[in-house]
Amino acid sequence: TLNLNMKKFLKGNLVFILILVIGWLGYQWYKAPKYSEGEVAPDFTSITPTGEEMSLSDFKGQYVLLDFWGSWCGPCRVESPNLVKLYTKYKDAEFKNADGFTIFSVGMETNKSRWQAAIQQDNLYWKNHVSEVKRLKSDVALQYKVREIPTKYLISPSGNIIGVNMGFEEMDKLLSKEVK
């Protein structure tokens, strides 16, 4: 009976573990960004805080950190000082094969005034901010399959994705190698 009970226990737990693993893998697939390293970053156009249109293609020839974030997102706001440091370090740098570096911030928002206030509060002083104020249902969020923020794409001057959700140290190392 001990052997039979042990078999039942193992069989029941293996099924449970298998269900957990399948669920975890499904969740990882669901939240994974649509595009990966080496692919061309699709162009898009969205609206700035002043109501003007801005496109990713406006920055062709530069390194671009495409940053999907939200004023309501705690982890996004915690990353703000790192974004500011990276931008400050490379905004005026001269690169071997690029016209510069910029950050293009895409706000996943439902409240325009909170979004604008967060830009000011976090000192996100680059001018490249857009939002359709539709949170994760915006056209660009759907195009890039953004289901979790922060999500970041580092894009080469030719428009290819060179990193997805890279850490700041990794981005810094990559960019520092490209400075003249």
Side-chain angles (χ1 to χ4, degrees), residues 25 35 113 122 142 148 158 172:
L25 289 171
Y35 300 102
S113 60
D122 291 0
L142 295 172
E148 180 176 86
S158 62
D172 183 44

Side-chain angles (χ1 to χ4, degrees), residues 105-120:
S105 296
V106 182
M108 302 287 102
E109 302 293 334
T110 56
N111 185 301
K112 185 176 178 180
S113 60
R114 263 196 314 239
W115 169 53
Q116 291 173 311
I119 292 168
Q120 296 301 312

